[in-house]
């Protein structure tokens, strides 16, 4: 499992969760309804301890 974080339009972290891959994390970000604002960016924790872009959100 990989750690992902979900950011709003201002770059503030809204949530962090573990997912098996980028596709699962991006899908959750598209479909989530429990956060107060829309997710604008998804990043994952890389092997060197740095946050990396997970990919574009569709929609």
């Amino acid at each position: 499992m990989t750690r992902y974080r979900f950011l709003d339009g201002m770059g503030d972290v809204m949530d962090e969760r573990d997912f098996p891959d980028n596709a699962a994390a991006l899908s959750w970000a598209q479909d989530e309804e429990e956060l107060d604002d829309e997710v604008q960016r998804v990043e994952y924790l890389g092997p060197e301890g740095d946050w990396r872009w997970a990919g574009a959100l569709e929609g």
Side-chain angles (χ1 to χ4, degrees):
M1 293 290 243
T2 302
R3 190 73 168 168
Y4 288 84
R5 67 181 185 181
F6 303 89
L7 295 88
D8 65 13
M10 298 295 291
D12 295 325
V13 176
M14 302 165 56
D15 198 0
E16 285 190 27
R17 295 176 182 238
D18 293 325
F19 288 93
D21 57 33
N22 285 3
L26 292 171
S27 178
W28 181 86
Q30 282 293 124
D31 298 335
E32 67 75 28
E33 295 180 1
E34 56 192 82
L35 299 177
D36 293 334
D37 202 359
E38 281 190 39
V39 174
Q40 297 294 317
R41 183 176 176 90
V42 179
E43 299 176 334
Y44 68 95
L45 190 58
E48 297 175 7
D50 57 331
W51 289 101
R52 300 175 181 199
W53 183 56
L57 292 169
E58 297 179 15

